[in-house]
Amino acid sequence: MQLIDKNGKIFGKVNILDFAVLLLVLLVVFIVAINKFFPDRVPGVIRRMPQQKEFIVKVILDKERNWLADYIKTGDGQRDLENNFMAEIIKVKKAKIADNTYSVIITLRLKANIEPGGFIVYGSNLLRPGENFVLETKGYLLKGLVYSVEESAD
């Protein structure tokens, strides 16, 4: 039995042109699969996602925003897309901070990122005492200064 017969068929069954087209299609599929599953570009630096932890943060409202304390309620905060709290107000308290000066201290439980340098960041807020802090809720904009940051015991 010959490999190619007088009609140009392989083993008398398959046409040579059909076989060539089939091999070409298989070659294209193979090349696409190799490029998809084994890309030739590998990133030089792999960026790790920052570690996220829960913190208790106390914020002193700006003097000109003390009136806002009447609007702030325990349970207010920011939620993510899945409706989980990212920042939740757990306590609102008026406190004497200097000579006959009263201010409002807001205590929040929030999930913040720990950056590679050790900085604790929530959104665009760097969480360390003395830094400005901004929290936007559905009902108001809270602006103040970070008073203290502690890792949550929960």
Side-chain angles (χ1 to χ4, degrees), residues 4-5 35 38 45 47 50 60 81 86 101 118 138 146:
I4 300 175
D5 66 359
N35 285 332
F38 302 107
V45 176
R47 185 171 185 269
I60 299 174
L81 294 174
M86 293 301 294
T101 304
K138 195 165 54 172
V146 176

Side-chain angles (χ1 to χ4, degrees), residues 28-101:
V28 168
V29 168
F30 178 75
I31 290 172
V32 168
I34 290 294
N35 285 332
K36 175 127 176 115
F37 296 112
F38 302 107
D40 57 346
R41 294 184 307 158
V42 175
V45 176
I46 298 174
R47 185 171 185 269
R48 291 181 46 212
M49 290 301 291
Q51 183 182 5
Q52 200 172 58
K53 287 190 175 179
E54 198 167 272
F55 291 91
I56 302 296
V57 178
K58 291 183 180 176
V59 176
I60 299 174
L61 279 184
D62 292 339
K63 285 187 292 187
E64 61 272 3
R65 292 185 183 268
N66 279 342
W67 58 269
L68 194 58
D70 297 333
Y71 295 96
I72 299 172
K73 296 179 190 81
T74 302
D76 288 350
Q78 283 183 333
R79 296 178 179 266
D80 62 9
L81 294 174
E82 285 130 15
N83 208 25
N84 300 317
F85 271 112
M86 293 301 294
E88 178 183 12
I89 295 172
I90 56 176
K91 189 175 180 183
V92 180
K93 157 179 132 173
K94 289 188 180 182
K96 187 175 182 180
I97 59 170
D99 301 331
N100 294 328
T101 304

